[in-house]
Amino acid sequence: MGPRLLLVPLACLALLPPPGAAEFSPSLDSDFTFTLPAGRKECFYQPMRKEASLELEYQVLDGAGLDVDFHLLSPKGETLVFDERKSDGVHTVETEEGDYMFCFDNTFSTISEKVIFFELILDNMGEDGQDEEDWKKYVTGTDLLDMKLEDILESINSVKARLSKSVQIQTLLRAFEARDRNIQESNFDRVNFWSMVNLGVMVVVSAVQVYMLKSLFEDKRKSRT
């Protein structure tokens, strides 16, 4: 079993607000690509808050069969998701307080390593209710305006969510492109290899045919004398 890593997105450091400032609904996004050797299993841990959302998407970019076993376990050790020998998957779970473990298992393969890409999207990792109260402290005279703070906050969060989704889709498209390129290069190498094999067989067969034809027209009487 391979090393167990604690996966804490670096985006957490960039999203910490200054003291006394309000923040929007946090949505953390991180992705990782690694090589899983043959006969090995790699596990990762992700700390989660209660009533948050964990979305995980993975793809096998390279390796024979383009498949891997995937496990997702709750902090209590219960199996939430089990994918057997799949090339990709998307899973979303509502979380409780604790460390979630997810593993990629390649123990069924004895010779082929796999290149795996996965992406984590964490939603509701902050205290949204407290954030809205903080915003209200900075607003006075809103009754004079035909606008509500909640509407502004909802619109901004909607735009932020759509931008995050766009970034996620672009990342997935890059992963698909990498996987397709690896498949094409593998097919290209196979075509070249078998073309050379066929060429070699044709040369050998041609040489044997020429030799047999020459032997048929040789004067056997000369050889007897």
Side-chain angles (χ1 to χ4, degrees):
M1 183 172 176
R4 298 183 176 181
L5 306 179
L6 177 64
L7 185 67
V8 180
L10 296 180
C12 294
L13 300 178
L15 293 176
L16 292 177
E23 57 179 302
F24 303 120
S25 300
S27 178
L28 310 183
D29 187 358
S30 59
D31 55 81
F32 187 48
T33 302
F34 70 101
T35 300
L36 181 59
R40 294 284 298 275
K41 180 179 180 181
E42 297 283 358
C43 292
F44 303 86
Y45 290 87
Q46 175 60 53
M48 296 297 298
R49 294 188 178 186
K50 186 177 180 180
E51 297 181 354
S53 175
L54 168 63
E55 180 179 348
L56 190 148
E57 178 162 356
Y58 69 91
Q59 295 181 35
V60 183
L61 302 181
D62 195 15
L66 293 177
D67 55 358
V68 72
D69 289 346
F70 173 76
H71 305 260
L72 176 61
L73 283 76
S74 70
K76 298 178 181 178
E78 301 172 348
T79 300
L80 302 178
V81 176
F82 173 61
D83 291 341
E84 185 176 4
R85 303 193 68 168
K86 288 190 175 182
S87 60
D88 56 71
V90 181
H91 302 287
T92 303
V93 295
E94 300 299 323
T95 63
E96 58 186 26
E97 189 79 21
D99 296 337
Y100 282 75
M101 181 177 73
F102 54 97
C103 301
F104 299 93
D105 191 350
N106 194 33
T107 55
F108 60 84
S109 178
T110 57
I111 59 175
S112 177
E113 65 181 17
K114 307 293 173 64
V115 178
I116 299 174
F117 162 85
F118 68 87
E119 181 179 23
L120 289 176
I121 300 177
L122 314 179
D123 288 326
N124 300 326
M125 292 295 287
E127 299 177 357
D128 298 338
Q130 183 62 38
D131 297 336
E132 292 180 3
E133 292 298 327
D134 292 338
W135 271 97
K136 292 178 181 179
K137 295 178 182 178
Y138 298 95
V139 179
T140 57
T142 55
D143 294 338
L144 301 178
L145 301 175
D146 189 16
M147 185 179 298
K148 294 183 180 179
L149 173 63
E150 289 78 4
D151 295 336
I152 299 175
L153 194 59
E154 182 179 355
S155 299
I156 295 177
N157 282 331
S158 176
V159 172
K160 182 174 180 293
R162 293 179 181 179
L163 290 175
S164 299
K165 193 64 177 179
S166 299
V167 173
Q168 178 191 5
I169 292 175
Q170 291 176 356
T171 302
L172 294 179
L173 290 176
R174 287 196 298 269
F176 278 122
E177 179 186 3
R179 184 174 68 177
D180 293 341
R181 184 173 62 251
N182 290 330
I183 294 175
Q184 292 175 359
E185 291 177 352
S186 177
N187 292 337
F188 178 75
D189 293 336
R190 288 182 181 180
V191 170
N192 286 339
F193 173 76
W194 288 111
S195 297
M196 295 301 297
V197 171
N198 290 333
L199 179 61
V201 171
M202 292 175 61
V203 171
V204 172
V205 171
S206 300
V208 171
Q209 289 178 344
V210 170
Y211 173 78
M212 293 182 65
L213 288 174
K214 288 181 63 178
S215 64
L216 290 175
F217 291 98
E218 285 183 352
D219 191 353
K220 298 181 179 179
R221 290 177 299 178
K222 291 182 179 181
S223 61
R224 290 178 180 177
T225 58

